[in-house]
CSV table of all heavy atoms in Angstrom, one decimal:
chain,number,residue,atom,x,y,z
A,293,LEU,N,-13.9,-7.9,-1.8
A,293,LEU,CA,-14.3,-8.2,-0.5
A,293,LEU,C,-15.6,-7.4,-0.1
A,293,LEU,O,-16.6,-8.0,0.2
A,293,LEU,CB,-13.2,-8.0,0.5
A,293,LEU,CG,-13.3,-8.7,1.9
A,293,LEU,CD1,-13.5,-10.2,1.7
A,293,LEU,CD2,-12.1,-8.4,2.7
A,294,PRO,N,-15.6,-6.0,-0.2
A,294,PRO,CA,-16.8,-5.3,0.1
A,294,PRO,C,-17.9,-5.6,-0.9
A,294,PRO,O,-19.1,-5.5,-0.5
A,294,PRO,CB,-16.4,-3.8,0.1
A,294,PRO,CG,-15.1,-3.8,-0.6
A,294,PRO,CD,-14.5,-5.1,-0.5
A,295,LEU,N,-17.6,-5.9,-2.1
A,295,LEU,CA,-18.6,-6.2,-3.1
A,295,LEU,C,-19.3,-7.5,-2.7
A,295,LEU,O,-20.5,-7.6,-2.8
A,295,LEU,CB,-17.9,-6.3,-4.5
A,295,LEU,CG,-18.9,-6.5,-5.7
A,295,LEU,CD1,-19.9,-5.4,-5.7
A,295,LEU,CD2,-18.1,-6.6,-7.0
A,296,LEU,N,-18.5,-8.5,-2.3
A,296,LEU,CA,-19.1,-9.8,-1.9
A,296,LEU,C,-20.0,-9.5,-0.6
A,296,LEU,O,-21.1,-10.1,-0.5
A,296,LEU,CB,-18.1,-10.8,-1.6
A,296,LEU,CG,-18.5,-12.2,-1.0
A,296,LEU,CD1,-19.1,-13.0,-2.2
A,296,LEU,CD2,-17.4,-12.9,-0.3
A,297,PHE,N,-19.5,-8.7,0.3
A,297,PHE,CA,-20.2,-8.4,1.5
A,297,PHE,C,-21.6,-7.7,1.2
A,297,PHE,O,-22.6,-8.0,1.9
A,297,PHE,CB,-19.4,-7.5,2.4
A,297,PHE,CG,-18.2,-8.2,3.1
A,297,PHE,CD1,-17.3,-7.4,3.8
A,297,PHE,CD2,-18.1,-9.5,3.1
A,297,PHE,CE1,-16.2,-8.0,4.5
A,297,PHE,CE2,-17.0,-10.2,3.7
A,297,PHE,CZ,-16.1,-9.4,4.4
A,298,SER,N,-21.6,-6.8,0.2
A,298,SER,CA,-22.8,-6.0,0.0
A,298,SER,C,-23.7,-6.6,-1.0
A,298,SER,O,-24.9,-6.2,-1.0
A,298,SER,CB,-22.4,-4.6,-0.5
A,298,SER,OG,-21.8,-4.6,-1.8
A,299,THR,N,-23.3,-7.6,-1.8
A,299,THR,CA,-24.2,-8.2,-2.8
A,299,THR,C,-25.3,-9.0,-2.1
A,299,THR,O,-25.0,-9.7,-1.2
A,299,THR,CB,-23.3,-9.1,-3.7
A,299,THR,OG1,-22.4,-8.3,-4.4
A,299,THR,CG2,-24.2,-9.8,-4.8
A,300,PRO,N,-26.5,-8.9,-2.6
A,300,PRO,CA,-27.6,-9.6,-2.0
A,300,PRO,C,-27.3,-11.1,-2.0
A,300,PRO,O,-26.6,-11.6,-2.9
A,300,PRO,CB,-28.8,-9.3,-2.9
A,300,PRO,CG,-28.5,-8.0,-3.5
A,300,PRO,CD,-27.0,-8.0,-3.7
A,301,THR,N,-27.9,-11.8,-1.0
A,301,THR,CA,-27.6,-13.3,-0.9
A,301,THR,C,-28.1,-14.1,-2.1
A,301,THR,O,-27.6,-15.1,-2.4
A,301,THR,CB,-28.3,-13.8,0.4
A,301,THR,OG1,-29.7,-13.4,0.4
A,301,THR,CG2,-27.6,-13.2,1.6
A,302,HIS,N,-29.2,-13.6,-2.7
A,302,HIS,CA,-29.7,-14.4,-3.9
A,302,HIS,C,-28.8,-14.3,-5.1
A,302,HIS,O,-28.9,-15.1,-6.0
A,302,HIS,CB,-31.1,-13.9,-4.3
A,302,HIS,CG,-31.2,-12.5,-4.9
A,302,HIS,ND1,-31.2,-11.4,-4.1
A,302,HIS,CD2,-31.1,-12.1,-6.2
A,302,HIS,CE1,-31.3,-10.3,-4.9
A,302,HIS,NE2,-31.2,-10.8,-6.2
A,303,LEU,N,-27.8,-13.4,-5.1
A,303,LEU,CA,-26.8,-13.3,-6.1
A,303,LEU,C,-25.5,-14.0,-5.7
A,303,LEU,O,-24.5,-13.8,-6.4
A,303,LEU,CB,-26.6,-11.9,-6.5
A,303,LEU,CG,-27.7,-11.2,-7.3
A,303,LEU,CD1,-27.4,-9.7,-7.6
A,303,LEU,CD2,-28.0,-11.9,-8.6
A,304,GLY,N,-25.5,-14.6,-4.5
A,304,GLY,CA,-24.3,-15.2,-4.0
A,304,GLY,C,-23.4,-14.4,-3.1
A,304,GLY,O,-22.3,-14.8,-2.7
A,305,GLY,N,-23.9,-13.2,-2.7
A,305,GLY,CA,-23.2,-12.4,-1.7
A,305,GLY,C,-23.6,-12.6,-0.3
A,305,GLY,O,-24.4,-13.6,-0.1
A,306,LEU,N,-23.2,-11.8,0.6
A,306,LEU,CA,-23.5,-12.0,2.0
A,306,LEU,C,-24.6,-11.0,2.5
A,306,LEU,O,-25.1,-11.1,3.6
A,306,LEU,CB,-22.2,-11.8,2.9
A,306,LEU,CG,-21.1,-12.8,2.5
A,306,LEU,CD1,-19.9,-12.6,3.5
A,306,LEU,CD2,-21.5,-14.2,2.5
A,307,GLY,N,-24.9,-9.9,1.7
A,307,GLY,CA,-26.0,-9.0,2.1
A,307,GLY,C,-25.7,-8.2,3.3
A,307,GLY,O,-26.7,-7.9,4.0
A,308,PHE,N,-24.5,-7.8,3.6
A,308,PHE,CA,-24.2,-7.0,4.8
A,308,PHE,C,-24.6,-5.6,4.6
A,308,PHE,O,-24.5,-5.1,3.4
A,308,PHE,CB,-22.7,-7.1,5.1
A,308,PHE,CG,-22.3,-8.5,5.7
A,308,PHE,CD1,-20.9,-8.8,5.7
A,308,PHE,CD2,-23.2,-9.4,6.2
A,308,PHE,CE1,-20.5,-10.0,6.2
A,308,PHE,CE2,-22.8,-10.6,6.6
A,308,PHE,CZ,-21.4,-10.9,6.7
A,309,ASP,N,-24.9,-4.9,5.7
A,309,ASP,CA,-25.1,-3.4,5.6
A,309,ASP,C,-23.7,-2.7,5.8
A,309,ASP,O,-22.8,-3.4,6.2
A,309,ASP,CB,-26.1,-2.9,6.6
A,309,ASP,CG,-25.7,-3.3,8.0
A,309,ASP,OD1,-24.5,-3.4,8.3
A,309,ASP,OD2,-26.6,-3.5,8.9
A,310,PRO,N,-23.7,-1.4,5.5
A,310,PRO,CA,-22.4,-0.7,5.6
A,310,PRO,C,-21.7,-0.8,7.0
A,310,PRO,O,-20.5,-0.9,7.1
A,310,PRO,CB,-22.7,0.8,5.3
A,310,PRO,CG,-23.9,0.7,4.4
A,310,PRO,CD,-24.7,-0.5,4.9
A,311,ALA,N,-22.5,-0.8,8.1
A,311,ALA,CA,-21.8,-0.9,9.4
A,311,ALA,C,-21.2,-2.3,9.6
A,311,ALA,O,-20.1,-2.4,10.2
A,311,ALA,CB,-22.9,-0.7,10.5
A,312,THR,N,-21.8,-3.3,9.1
A,312,THR,CA,-21.3,-4.7,9.3
A,312,THR,C,-20.0,-4.8,8.4
A,312,THR,O,-19.0,-5.4,8.8
A,312,THR,CB,-22.3,-5.7,8.9
A,312,THR,OG1,-23.5,-5.6,9.7
A,312,THR,CG2,-21.7,-7.1,9.1
A,313,ILE,N,-20.1,-4.3,7.2
A,313,ILE,CA,-18.9,-4.3,6.3
A,313,ILE,C,-17.8,-3.6,6.9
A,313,ILE,O,-16.6,-4.1,7.0
A,313,ILE,CB,-19.3,-3.6,4.9
A,313,ILE,CG1,-20.3,-4.4,4.2
A,313,ILE,CG2,-18.0,-3.5,4.1
A,313,ILE,CD1,-20.9,-3.8,2.9
A,314,GLY,N,-18.0,-2.4,7.5
A,314,GLY,CA,-17.0,-1.6,8.2
A,314,GLY,C,-16.4,-2.4,9.3
A,314,GLY,O,-15.2,-2.4,9.5
A,315,SER,N,-17.2,-3.1,10.1
A,315,SER,CA,-16.7,-3.9,11.2
A,315,SER,C,-15.7,-5.0,10.8
A,315,SER,O,-14.7,-5.2,11.4
A,315,SER,CB,-17.8,-4.5,12.0
A,315,SER,OG,-18.6,-3.4,12.6
A,316,TRP,N,-16.1,-5.7,9.8
A,316,TRP,CA,-15.3,-6.8,9.3
A,316,TRP,C,-14.0,-6.3,8.7
A,316,TRP,O,-12.9,-6.9,8.9
A,316,TRP,CB,-16.0,-7.7,8.3
A,316,TRP,CG,-16.9,-8.8,9.0
A,316,TRP,CD1,-18.2,-8.8,9.1
A,316,TRP,CD2,-16.4,-9.9,9.6
A,316,TRP,NE1,-18.6,-9.9,9.8
A,316,TRP,CE2,-17.5,-10.6,10.1
A,316,TRP,CE3,-15.1,-10.5,9.9
A,316,TRP,CZ2,-17.4,-11.8,10.9
A,316,TRP,CZ3,-15.0,-11.6,10.6
A,316,TRP,CH2,-16.1,-12.3,11.1
A,317,LEU,N,-14.1,-5.3,7.9
A,317,LEU,CA,-12.9,-4.7,7.3
A,317,LEU,C,-11.9,-4.1,8.4
A,317,LEU,O,-10.7,-4.2,8.3
A,317,LEU,CB,-13.2,-3.6,6.3
A,317,LEU,CG,-14.0,-4.0,5.0
A,317,LEU,CD1,-14.2,-2.8,4.1
A,317,LEU,CD2,-13.2,-5.1,4.2
A,318,ALA,N,-12.5,-3.6,9.4
A,318,ALA,CA,-11.7,-3.1,10.5
A,318,ALA,C,-11.0,-4.3,11.2
A,318,ALA,O,-9.8,-4.1,11.6
A,318,ALA,CB,-12.6,-2.4,11.5
A,319,LEU,N,-11.7,-5.4,11.4
A,319,LEU,CA,-11.1,-6.6,12.0
A,319,LEU,C,-9.9,-7.0,11.2
A,319,LEU,O,-8.8,-7.4,11.7
A,319,LEU,CB,-12.1,-7.7,12.2
A,319,LEU,CG,-11.6,-9.0,12.7
A,319,LEU,CD1,-11.1,-8.8,14.2
A,319,LEU,CD2,-12.6,-10.1,12.7
A,320,PHE,N,-10.1,-7.1,9.9
A,320,PHE,CA,-9.0,-7.5,9.0
A,320,PHE,C,-7.8,-6.6,9.2
A,320,PHE,O,-6.6,-7.0,9.3
A,320,PHE,CB,-9.4,-7.5,7.5
A,320,PHE,CG,-10.4,-8.5,7.2
A,320,PHE,CD1,-11.2,-8.4,6.0
A,320,PHE,CD2,-10.6,-9.7,7.9
A,320,PHE,CE1,-12.1,-9.4,5.7
A,320,PHE,CE2,-11.5,-10.6,7.6
A,320,PHE,CZ,-12.3,-10.5,6.5
A,321,GLY,N,-8.1,-5.3,9.3
A,321,GLY,CA,-7.0,-4.3,9.4
A,321,GLY,C,-6.2,-4.4,10.7
A,321,GLY,O,-5.0,-4.4,10.7
A,322,ILE,N,-6.9,-4.5,11.8
A,322,ILE,CA,-6.3,-4.4,13.1
A,322,ILE,C,-5.5,-5.7,13.4
A,322,ILE,O,-4.4,-5.7,13.9
A,322,ILE,CB,-7.3,-4.2,14.3
A,322,ILE,CG1,-6.5,-3.8,15.5
A,322,ILE,CG2,-8.2,-5.3,14.5
A,322,ILE,CD1,-5.7,-2.5,15.4
A,323,THR,N,-6.0,-6.9,13.0
A,323,THR,CA,-5.3,-8.1,13.2
A,323,THR,C,-4.0,-8.1,12.3
A,323,THR,O,-2.9,-8.6,12.8
A,323,THR,CB,-6.1,-9.4,12.8
A,323,THR,OG1,-6.7,-9.2,11.5
A,323,THR,CG2,-7.3,-9.5,13.8
Side-chain angles (χ1 to χ4, degrees):
L293 200 56
L295 186 56
L296 178 77
F297 285 171
S298 66
T299 298
T301 54
H302 69 272
L303 290 175
L306 304 183
F308 289 164
D309 59 27
T312 306
I313 294 172
S315 298
W316 275 108
L317 294 180
L319 176 64
F320 291 161
I322 195 63
T323 52

